[in-house]
């Protein structure tokens, strides 16, 4: 989950970049927790740590939760 409250353009940018990865089928931010992005992906095509690195490369602090 990225640290710091994202705005709507940040949400769209992160979602678009993650969806470019093979194996990512869906991304969504949760309205109740503005720092949490849910990512549905095929673990055989992409690893969670790769997605985490992508978010960090976009300039966000991030960590994996709920694995």
């Amino acid at each position: 989950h990225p640290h710091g409250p994202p705005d709507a353009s940040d949400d769209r940018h992160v979602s678009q970049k993650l969806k470019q990865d093979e194996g990512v089928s869906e991304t969504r931010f949760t309205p109740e927790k503005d720092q949490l992005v849910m990512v549905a992906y095929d673990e055989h095509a992409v690893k969670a740590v790769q997605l985490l690195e992508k978010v960090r490369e976009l300039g966000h602090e991030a960590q994996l939760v709920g694995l």
Side-chain angles (χ1 to χ4, degrees), residues 2 15 18 24 26-30 36-41 65:
S15 290
L18 289 174
V24 174
E26 179 184 3
T27 62
R28 63 183 164 88
F29 281 82
T30 30
L36 182 65
V37 62
M38 304 291 290
V39 180
Y41 65 97
V65 296

Side-chain angles (χ1 to χ4, degrees), residues 1-65:
H1 84 280
H3 295 295
D7 62 26
S9 65
D10 281 343
D11 289 359
R12 283 190 301 275
H13 185 244
V14 169
S15 290
Q16 289 171 351
K17 291 297 187 179
L18 289 174
K19 286 180 183 175
Q20 290 175 357
D21 283 1
E22 183 178 339
V24 174
S25 57
E26 179 184 3
T27 62
R28 63 183 164 88
F29 281 82
T30 30
E32 309 82 41
K33 299 182 186 237
D34 62 3
Q35 298 177 356
L36 182 65
V37 62
M38 304 291 290
V39 180
Y41 65 97
D42 177 352
E43 64 187 33
H44 300 290
V46 65
K47 303 295 181 210
V49 293
Q50 292 171 297
L51 300 173
L52 178 65
E53 283 304 313
K54 169 87 59 153
V55 172
R56 288 178 175 163
E57 287 171 5
L58 294 171
H60 299 280
E61 292 182 37
Q63 63 185 21
L64 297 175
V65 296

